[in-house]
Amino acid sequence: MTHPGNITPDLGRSLAQFLKEEQEQFPDIPEELLPILHAIAAAGKAIDKVVRTLGLVDITGDQGTYNASDEAQQKLDLLAHHWLLDALAHTGAVCAVVSEEAPTIIELPNSNGKYIVALDPLDGSPNIDVNAHIGTIFSLYQRQTTQSMAVQQEDVLQKGNAQLAAGYILYGTSTMFVYTARHGVHGFTYHPAADDFFLAYKAMQLPKSGRCYAINDGYFEAFPGYVQHYIHRCRRNGYSARYTGALIADFHRHLIQGGIYLYPPTKKHAEGKLRLVVECNALALMAEEAGGAASNGQQSILSLQPQAIHQRVPLYIGATNMVQDLLAAVV
Ligand code: AHM
Ligand code: MG
């Protein structure tokens, strides 16, 4: 009997090979995207290695500091933040980064860099210590102001529609790198022995409908009426409730199987909890590129003009029909 583990996999195209082909096919994809994605993937591999040795290396627990959103920072939040910054600084193409873990714009020593990266270095931080899913989220923008001056707020506060590329790394059962350069969404699986990401899903399509919803049910009483109404409807329809505590993991499930993720306004977070610039925009672009939708309840996430780096917004994202059903209940 052949054991599946004995089959030598045909690893196919690596992330770098695939991206080169995509750039040849679509000249609007900037040349610098390759080194930038390569840098993010390299940091992702380093993060993956420490995640896989959880409990053996000293990376669990709080750092004892707080981020700009007044959330306790975990050691791995900061490690991921610094590794990503370091990798991006070496590309020479990125002039500034905004990160969930830093209060203000971080200028990198690349005055000629034309690009801005927005990062949530480690999404789902409370999952770190319990060996559950976590991830990295990124967005890429072109700098708007001239390179001779300091990076300005308008460079980092661009609408999601202006993203040149976006993606995430999911540190899960396997580690996946999923990105869009605005020509479809493609997923790559990390192969530890080959130490690289290989194409696993090309041109991913988010199913138009689904039977799965992800929301923190513990806050139900605090949700707006239209959300409560929609959840009742999901329950009546017998949909499955799945909530991992990591936006990326829930989004990834829905990208493959269909479903909706909801983080509405609550008593604690009157504007919602998730951050527009470093979390929502990237996933909204990926959702739309894959045929899905993302809204704050009023308008598409990608059309929102950010007012601040750490601005929070409600997020309803996933299968188009499900997002539309939810919006139909908004009064
Ligand atoms: P984080 O980036 O600090 O981890 O916060 C974002 C996370 C999401 O990944 C997740 O869906 C949500 O916060 C969970 O929040 P809650 O515990 O309030 O349900
Ligand atoms: Mg996050």
Side-chain angles (χ1 to χ4, degrees):
M1 196 178 81
T2 312
H3 188 280
N6 292 336
I7 297 171
T8 306
D10 172 10
L11 293 176
R13 276 172 291 177
S14 68
L15 174 61
Q17 286 166 336
F18 184 86
L19 190 58
K20 265 191 206 143
E21 287 172 25
E22 205 187 17
Q23 281 175 320
E24 278 161 20
Q25 196 182 350
F26 302 107
D28 63 309
I29 298 178
E31 212 181 291
E32 296 89 337
L33 188 61
L34 181 55
I36 294 171
L37 291 196
H38 194 260
I40 294 170
K45 289 182 206 171
I47 296 166
D48 178 77
K49 286 194 177 70
V50 292
V51 167
R52 296 210 177 270
T53 50
L54 190 88
L56 304 178
V57 291
D58 181 27
I59 50 137
T60 54
D62 282 2
Q63 181 72 23
T65 51
Y66 290 83
N67 67 15
S69 306
D70 210 22
E71 295 159 341
Q73 292 174 305
Q74 312 275 299
K75 289 178 193 161
L76 193 56
D77 282 327
L78 293 171
L79 205 59
H81 167 85
H82 289 298
W83 281 348
L84 283 156
L85 278 191
D86 201 39
L88 289 168
H90 281 93
T91 64
V94 178
C95 58
V97 169
V98 285
S99 165
E100 186 175 304
E101 304 308 337
T104 52
I105 301 170
I106 303 164
E107 291 212 49
L108 299 181
N110 300 318
S111 49
N112 292 327
K114 284 193 296 202
Y115 300 98
I116 309 279
V117 173
L119 282 177
D120 179 355
L122 225 287
D123 180 57
S125 313
N127 282 358
I128 298 168
D129 288 359
V130 296
N131 197 7
H133 290 99
I134 47 181
T136 295
I137 307 177
F138 61 90
S139 294
L140 182 73
Y141 296 88
Q142 180 141 17
R143 173 177 193 166
Q144 298 297 298
T145 56
T146 57
Q147 286 159 330
S148 53
M149 59 198 285
V151 175
Q152 304 292 306
Q153 290 286 314
E154 66 199 86
D155 292 316
V156 299
L157 298 181
Q158 298 186 49
K159 289 183 184 176
N161 273 327
Q163 289 170 100
L164 301 173
Y168 59 82
I169 305 173
L170 174 64
Y171 310 100
T173 313
S174 58
T175 291
M176 291 207 67
F177 188 106
V178 187
Y179 85 94
T180 181
R182 308 200 69 132
H183 293 283
V185 176
H186 312 294
F188 299 77
T189 300
Y190 179 59
H191 192 289
D195 194 29
D196 208 347
F197 291 92
F198 294 90
L199 183 65
Y201 298 88
K202 190 178 172 194
M204 299 172 86
Q205 282 297 307
L206 205 159
K208 290 281 172 229
S209 301
R211 298 185 56 81
C212 183
Y213 66 105
I215 193 165
N216 189 332
D217 188 70
Y219 308 146
F220 184 87
E221 298 302 330
F223 293 152
Y226 65 89
V227 176
Q228 293 182 344
H229 177 86
Y230 183 74
I231 299 304
H232 280 304
R233 178 179 164 158
C234 291
R235 291 173 181 169
R236 274 197 310 275
N237 287 340
Y239 292 177
S240 292
R242 297 274 186 271
Y243 190 72
T244 62
L247 165 63
I248 294 184
D250 293 321
F251 178 80
H252 189 73
R253 178 198 299 277
H254 299 160
L255 180 58
I256 291 173
Q257 296 182 337
I260 185 170
Y261 172 99
L262 310 94
Y263 208 113
T266 60
K267 277 206 184 75
K268 186 171 174 201
H269 296 298
E271 304 301 326
K273 178 187 177 192
L274 300 173
R275 279 132 299 215
L276 175 59
V277 176
V278 297
E279 292 171 319
C280 301
N281 271 340
L283 298 190
L285 183 67
M286 301 187 79
E288 291 205 7
E289 276 289 321
S295 171
N296 69 345
Q298 311 295 327
Q299 61 187 96
S300 106
I301 292 289
L302 295 177
S303 69
L304 294 170
Q305 174 59 57
Q307 303 297 330
I309 295 173
H310 299 285
Q311 174 185 349
R312 299 176 193 265
V313 289
L315 179 66
Y316 308 111
I317 186 168
T320 303
N321 293 349
M322 299 177 89
V323 173
Q324 274 169 1
D325 286 346
L326 169 87
L327 296 180
V330 179
V331 280

